[in-house]
Amino acid sequence: MCGRFSFTARRDDVENRFGVFIDTDAYIPRYNCAPSQKLSVISNASPEKLSFYRWGLIPFWAKDFSIGNKMINARAESIIEKPSFKNSFRRKRCLVLSDGFYEWKKEEKVAGAGAVAGKKEEKVPYRILKKDNSLFAMAGLWDTWKDAEGRETQSFTIITTSANDLIKDIHHRMPVILQPEHERLWLDEFDKQKHLELLKPYPSELMKTYRVSKLVNSPLNDNKELIQPLINS
DNA sequence: CCAGACGTTGTT
DNA sequence: GTCTGG
DNA sequence: CCAGACGTTGTT
DNA sequence: GTCTGG
């Protein structure tokens, strides 16, 4: 799945890589993008610029916004059937910009010296990125929700698929990462077959993983240290 | 017909 | 255990 | 995803 | 809004 990621690029690198302009001073590099935050996307509604949408899709018909807490991922396999996503799949697609995502692996806890070997499980965070460290876009869906006073919130979800062989060791699901040449296609006019074909696992050969500090666990931490490979592992 | 859900992951 | 907030 | 809260009444 | 379950 994908429940946390980074997007640490400088603003002019974002503009050059994705062909968008950034019309706000609010853009900053992020090391710990978490659900409920406003994060960088390119929406088919305004594909020429960077937008900031809330992570956790709130369907337009929702009575209250808290339903968005559960909608951080959408399974590619069922996207055309789910009431919460089918409408957005047809009309409201976006690119979720990233340079790496985090997954937690369940590992056997290693007992310290003198301690009795235990069977306790431990969740260990890994960072997963492209081998060349380059920026990428994850396939997303978005929607607009209005509260009782008519104030609008744009929100998004990240589409997931089965893990490739590299990531399977850590977790059995992964976000859909689009080939760079497919990014604009994702935002183009809807074509069911064309768009479903893009929702495949990104190739293992082009990716790498490394263990990171558990500092990433808390969404309150957001600094360079989080993307540092953990040496003592 | 109306009422109630609408999601994923992981674990059992 | 389960929900909310980040 | 993880972390942290999870309750009411009444009083300050 | 739209689908499922009763």
Side-chain angles (χ1 to χ4, degrees):
Chain A
M1 80 168 327
C2 183
R4 217 72 80 72
F5 64 94
S6 60
F7 188 47
T8 70
R10 295 171 343 122
R11 60 189 291 145
D12 38 332
D13 289 337
V14 177
E15 293 183 323
N16 293 333
R17 163 65 175 80
F18 292 103
V20 290
F21 63 88
I22 302 178
D23 64 355
T24 171
D25 294 333
Y27 178 82
I28 51 162
R30 293 292 314 277
Y31 301 87
N32 201 357
C33 299
S36 81
Q37 298 173 348
K38 294 187 84 175
L39 303 169
S40 296
V41 304
I42 301 172
S43 170
N44 67 324
S46 42
E48 73 291 347
K49 70 181 196 92
L50 192 71
S51 301
F52 296 88
Y53 289 180
R54 186 186 210 269
W55 187 6
L57 189 144
I58 310 162
F60 69 95
W61 43 258
K63 288 189 189 74
D64 82 300
F65 75 96
S66 61
I67 189 173
N69 293 335
K70 309 175 197 172
M71 309 279 189
I72 66 170
N73 292 134
R75 290 177 64 91
E77 297 89 336
S78 56
I79 209 168
I80 45 173
E81 299 133 35
K82 298 293 183 181
S84 299
F85 302 134
K86 57 189 297 184
N87 190 65
S88 291
F89 180 51
R90 294 188 160 271
R91 304 178 196 292
K92 296 176 176 175
R93 293 175 303 282
C94 63
L95 303 172
V96 182
L97 306 191
S98 175
D99 62 0
F101 58 96
Y102 303 104
E103 298 285 0
W104 282 257
K105 180 181 181 180
K106 286 195 171 172
E107 294 181 357
E108 205 87 331
K109 202 166 196 170
V110 180
V116 180
K119 291 173 188 166
K120 293 245 166 109
E121 281 201 325
E122 182 186 21
K123 292 186 112 180
V124 177
Y126 286 78
R127 185 161 185 254
I128 301 164
L129 63 169
K130 289 204 188 182
K131 262 185 186 164
D132 62 4
N133 300 316
S134 58
L135 308 184
F136 55 86
M138 300 182 283
L141 304 176
W142 63 277
D143 207 347
T144 297
W145 178 80
K146 283 188 193 182
D147 69 15
E149 284 76 45
R151 288 178 297 235
E152 290 188 348
T153 298
Q154 271 75 36
S155 59
F156 72 93
T157 188
I158 296 172
I159 301 175
T160 63
T161 183
S162 53
N164 64 29
D165 287 339
L166 175 70
I167 296 170
K168 262 190 190 113
D169 182 51
I170 299 171
H171 197 77
H172 72 110
R173 304 287 297 173
M174 68 181 283
V176 171
I177 294 169
L178 296 168
Q179 301 280 359
E181 62 270 28
H182 291 155
E183 288 166 359
R184 288 290 153 176
L185 202 63
W186 178 247
L187 301 180
D188 284 350
E189 192 181 349
F190 182 65
D191 180 323
K192 183 172 159 184
Q193 209 204 329
K194 179 181 82 180
H195 283 129
L196 282 177
E197 271 174 19
L198 300 182
L199 305 180
K200 292 176 182 164
Y202 196 77
S204 293
E205 316 84 75
L206 302 177
M207 305 191 78
K208 61 181 179 182
T209 75
Y210 57 81
R211 193 173 163 182
V212 292
S213 160
K214 283 186 181 174
L215 287 171
V216 75
N217 286 13
S218 173
L220 298 177
N221 296 326
D222 189 356
N223 58 67
K224 289 192 175 78
E225 196 179 346
L226 304 192
I227 62 169
Q228 251 22 79
L230 195 70
I231 299 168
N232 187 22
S233 66

